[in-house]
Amino acid sequence: MIKSFASKVQKLSTNLNIIRILKLIGTASKKWMLISILFILIESALFYASIYLIKLLVDTLSKHGANNLKDEPMVVNLLLLAALSAILYVSVKAISAYIIEKQAAKVAEYVDDKIHRSAIALDLSFYESPEYFDILKRARDMGSDRPNLIVATMVDIAKNSVMLILIGSMLVSIDWRLFPILALFVIPTLWVRINFADIQNVLRLSQTALERKSGYMSSLITSDIHAKEIRGFGLGHYIRKKYVAIRLELLEGRLKISRQRTFKEIMTSSIATLGFFSCIAYIAIGSIRGTTSVGDIALFFIAFPQSFTILQNLSSGISTLYQNNIFVKSLFELFDLKSNLPEPAQPLPLPTAQQVDLELKQVNFIYPHATKPTLSNISLKLPAGKIVAIVGSNGAGKSTLMKLLCRLYDPTSGEITLDDKNIRNFSSTDYHKQICAVFQDFGKYNLSVADNIRFGDIHSLSRKPEEIVEAARNSGTDMFVDKFPEGYDTVMGRIFEDGHEVSIGQWQKLAIARAFYSNSRFIILDEATSALDARSEQELFDSLRERIGNRAALIISHRQSAVKHADYIYMLTEGCISESGTHEELLALKGTYYQLFNSKAGTT
């Protein structure tokens, strides 16, 4: 068992990475960490002093007798000092608890912010990976209370360790065998707790995917995203039953371990209690035989239960800390993740010319964990001042191409150039400002209309409110925003109070307004008019053509009405460019473009 216990301790230090946790706490609240250490030492010293003064008081009374008036001043002084140290002890303990709470709160806020910073820094590939979501789930499961618990537990372990040394020295002064015997009886309980904490952590790891699945089922029932379909198809109770089945499976796994742990803790706690009373019996017999002083007996009956409690608290604290190792480890796993899109050591400055082209040259792309290329040998150009279109059926690779242009992924081979310079040589932050994309699954932000539009150029501090109105006018958003009582301050959606829901077509116009508000050189619209009526779509493209200037626009669609007025069109078929030319030239070829848009298929 000793070898197994040592193995658990070694695993504890490896998994928890104590040094790194201390650095994290120090970074989050260095001042409060130092203050809490100081108060731990003061609190422990006062606790030791109050007990030792009581021992001296009992020794004085037993040595000279309670009726000896000559020793009355000494007795009174000892009483006063003991009372004062006790008062100071409880006062310092209360202040220490506040300090720990404040330190833990600062650590919690720091960890929460660092999780968000880490998530923001990662590229899109992580958000298409189940492994990443497992790590993120475990890291976020720390919640706001987990850092507090870790800080408080580590402080308690430090405090109990200091007190154990002080009180242990008292017990050793009575009889050196008392403390080792007591510790020996408490170790089995600690071993059982650490062992089952390890088992629970393994279970948590294996249950992460199921936990995420249950969370997804819960969100289907409670969120507004699928509310219409769930009620329309009567799916609520079916999904609820699946959710309950998953939760019961998770619960059964945890309860099975809890039953085993409870049984073994009863056994080890009984052993520890037996050791406790064995030590009491040893002292009691010693007092009868006159080998122990009255002061030592008083000290024993004060210090011994305290030391037993401290050892139990240490056991509980270490096992609690060990239990949290899966969350701490996942937290550091998240912090250690790095973007797959490397940043140049010395980024090139962005081109300053008025007319700049964006070009793909022999680009190939395979998604991570995939074997089949999604795009093969793609070469196309977005010239300044032109509208280019990409057409293709569903699954042809249009949205993937858009992700590459936005540098959400890098090509597997080939290159994308801006003004004949590989975009990898620019800072990704600078490059992203050159592209404004309206995705097919565009964001619907439950914030004000003004914020929804301002997100197109959120980093600029010199933009005027009138420019928001102009972007809304150019996209047709003003047609419904002007009817709102609060105008551009109206909160969109129904999640928050006073929110205003609109149709999907109006949401789409709002997303397009973001693109018009942007100062980017390139606008990419991915099926961005799919929810617009024919008139709104025509007005949008007329507006785009009129205001394009030196910017370039890329229209991605499978609708003829959205692409026929483009200056140049590329036909994408199964990840390859099969045809290219103007609308009239492609129709004349009577190839895949013609087949997609011929009169039999319709010209939507």
Side-chain angles (χ1 to χ4, degrees):
M1 189 180 79
I2 294 175
K3 186 176 180 181
S4 179
F5 178 75
S7 173
K8 296 294 181 189
V9 173
Q10 173 64 32
K11 198 169 186 179
L12 170 68
S13 61
T14 302
N15 286 349
L16 273 178
N17 201 337
I18 300 295
I19 300 299
R20 193 168 181 186
I21 292 175
L22 290 174
K23 286 182 178 178
L24 178 70
I25 294 171
T27 303
S29 59
K30 185 176 181 180
K31 179 181 75 172
W32 290 102
M33 183 175 74
L34 295 174
I35 293 173
S36 71
I37 292 172
L38 176 62
F39 269 77
I40 287 171
L41 296 175
I42 295 172
E43 183 183 336
S44 303
L46 288 169
F47 181 73
Y48 178 86
S50 62
I51 293 177
Y52 190 72
L53 286 166
I54 292 173
K55 174 192 181 311
L56 292 178
L57 176 63
V58 174
D59 274 340
T60 301
L61 291 172
S62 63
K63 184 177 181 181
H64 301 288
N67 298 322
N68 192 337
L69 296 177
K70 183 180 67 173
D71 293 320
E72 184 178 345
M74 182 182 294
V75 171
V76 171
N77 288 336
L78 287 172
L79 274 170
L80 289 173
L81 287 172
L84 179 62
S85 61
I87 292 170
L88 288 173
Y89 168 70
V90 295
S91 301
V92 169
K93 188 175 182 180
I95 296 171
S96 181
Y98 167 75
I99 290 169
I100 292 168
E101 184 180 352
K102 185 157 188 175
Q103 180 189 8
K106 285 186 172 293
V107 172
E109 291 302 316
Y110 176 80
V111 168
D112 188 58
D113 182 60
K114 195 166 176 62
I115 287 174
H116 288 131
R117 286 177 180 271
S118 298
I120 290 169
L122 298 176
D123 61 81
L124 185 64
S125 64
F126 287 93
Y127 289 86
E128 297 179 346
S129 164
E131 292 84 359
Y132 166 70
F133 284 111
D134 284 347
I135 293 173
L136 183 63
K137 169 74 169 60
R138 290 192 290 268
R140 290 191 65 84
D141 275 351
M142 287 192 72
S144 59
D145 60 331
R146 191 76 61 171
N148 299 15
L149 180 61
I150 291 172
V151 172
T153 302
M154 292 187 74
V155 170
D156 281 342
I157 290 173
K159 187 188 299 182
N160 286 319
S161 298
V162 173
M163 286 188 172
L164 189 62
I165 292 170
L166 295 175
I167 294 179
S169 66
M170 293 180 185
L171 293 177
V172 169
S173 70
I174 300 171
D175 191 309
W176 68 269
R177 287 165 287 200
L178 290 173
F179 186 72
I181 290 172
L182 184 60
L184 190 63
F185 279 106
V186 172
I187 283 175
T189 302
L190 176 59
W191 181 83
V192 166
R193 287 177 176 174
I194 289 179
N195 184 57
F196 276 96
D198 197 28
I199 294 172
Q200 283 180 319
N201 285 337
V202 172
L203 179 68
R204 284 195 190 99
L205 278 172
S206 65
Q207 287 186 337
T208 302
L210 267 181
E211 287 279 6
R212 286 202 300 111
K213 192 171 184 179
S214 74
Y216 173 70
M217 294 293 177
S218 177
S219 71
L220 289 179
I221 297 170
T222 59
S223 75
D224 65 319
I225 299 173
H226 302 91
K228 292 189 290 292
E229 283 198 2
I230 285 175
R231 281 148 185 80
F233 290 114
L235 305 177
H237 289 293
Y238 173 79
I239 295 172
R240 182 189 60 80
K241 288 177 182 178
K242 291 178 76 69
Y243 169 78
V244 170
I246 294 171
R247 297 310 303 177
L248 289 175
E249 182 180 347
L250 292 168
L251 181 61
E252 178 55 33
R254 290 193 288 266
L255 288 178
K256 182 180 179 181
I257 292 174
S258 295
R259 287 193 295 268
Q260 296 172 349
R261 185 191 66 234
T262 300
F263 175 72
K264 292 197 174 182
E265 277 200 17
I266 290 172
M267 294 177 60
T268 55
S269 296
S270 300
I271 293 171
T273 304
L274 180 63
F276 177 75
F277 281 99
S278 298
C279 291
I280 291 176
Y282 177 78
I283 288 295
I285 293 170
S287 67
I288 293 171
R289 294 177 178 175
T291 57
T292 312
S293 72
V294 177
D296 286 341
I297 294 171
L299 178 62
F300 172 80
F301 279 108
I302 295 173
F304 191 73
Q306 288 286 348
S307 62
F308 182 76
T309 302
I310 289 171
L311 278 168
Q312 291 282 29
N313 289 342
L314 266 175
S315 170
S316 177
I318 292 171
S319 63
T320 300
L321 200 60
Y322 193 85
Q323 253 184 327
N324 284 310
N325 86 72
I326 190 65
F327 299 104
V328 175
K329 190 175 181 182
S330 292
L331 190 66
F332 289 136
E333 273 186 300
L334 177 65
F335 293 166
D336 290 339
L337 292 176
K338 303 297 180 187
S339 173
N340 295 315
L341 301 178
E343 290 290 326
Q346 295 181 327
L348 294 177
L350 290 171
T352 56
Q354 290 293 317
Q355 295 191 332
V356 175
D357 299 340
L358 185 63
E359 190 171 359
L360 284 80
K361 300 178 180 179
Q362 295 297 309
V363 165
N364 296 276
F365 179 72
I366 303 175
Y367 277 104
H369 310 300
T371 55
K372 183 180 178 182
T374 304
L375 297 174
S376 300
N377 298 320
I378 301 296
S379 295
L380 61 83
K381 189 173 185 178
L382 273 67
K386 300 294 183 182
I387 297 177
V388 175
I390 295 178
V391 181
S393 57
N394 294 332
K398 303 187 299 296
S399 294
T400 299
L401 193 149
M402 179 181 184
K403 292 175 185 177
L404 295 180
L405 286 170
C406 294
R407 212 196 167 200
L408 301 177
Y409 285 97
D410 277 336
T412 306
S413 63
E415 64 175 359
I416 302 173
T417 63
L418 180 67
D419 198 30
D420 285 329
K421 298 178 181 66
N422 195 312
I423 62 172
R424 297 188 190 200
N425 295 322
F426 301 109
S427 158
S428 59
T429 302
D430 289 341
Y431 176 74
H432 287 155
K433 292 177 183 178
Q434 304 303 299
I435 308 288
C436 184
V438 179
F439 295 94
Q440 188 173 1
D441 52 346
F442 56 87
K444 298 193 292 182
Y445 301 100
N446 292 151
L447 300 169
S448 71
V449 173
D451 277 340
N452 268 273
I453 298 174
R454 193 181 292 115
F455 284 174
D457 188 19
I458 195 64
H459 300 291
S460 178
L461 302 176
S462 59
R463 303 293 295 271
K464 298 176 181 178
E466 293 81 10
E467 295 179 80
I468 293 176
V469 177
E470 183 182 358
R473 189 180 301 115
N474 292 337
S475 65
T477 304
D478 63 319
M479 298 294 290
F480 61 89
V481 173
D482 288 343
K483 297 177 183 178
F484 295 154
E486 296 182 20
Y488 289 84
D489 292 326
T490 302
V491 174
M492 300 300 295
R494 287 289 186 190
I495 292 179
F496 302 113
E497 190 177 355
D498 299 328
H500 196 106
E501 188 58 86
V502 295
S503 70
I504 187 64
Q506 290 170 318
W507 271 111
Q508 197 166 52
K509 287 182 179 181
L510 195 55
I512 295 169
R514 274 199 290 276
F516 282 134
Y517 183 75
S518 167
N519 278 328
S520 61
R521 292 176 181 266
F522 302 92
I523 297 176
I524 303 177
L525 305 177
D526 182 13
E527 301 288 0
T529 60
S530 58
L532 301 185
D533 56 61
R535 180 178 177 181
S536 295
E537 184 180 57
Q538 185 61 51
E539 289 175 351
L540 171 69
F541 286 121
D542 289 344
S543 176
L544 180 63
R545 172 69 69 183
E546 182 180 343
R547 292 170 176 81
I548 192 168
N550 289 323
R551 304 165 85 184
L554 177 65
I555 311 298
I556 299 175
S557 183
H558 60 269
R559 297 173 57 174
Q560 184 176 356
S561 58
V563 302
K564 64 182 180 180
H565 298 299
D567 296 301
Y568 203 76
I569 303 170
Y570 294 90
M571 182 70 199
L572 198 61
T573 307
E574 295 184 353
C576 301
I577 293 177
S578 55
E579 299 171 357
S580 62
T582 64
H583 173 67
E584 290 75 16
E585 289 170 347
L586 292 175
L587 287 178
L589 286 176
K590 295 194 175 181
T592 51
Y593 183 86
Y594 174 82
Q595 292 171 9
L596 184 65
F597 294 135
N598 65 23
S599 57
K600 292 180 182 179
T603 56
T604 57

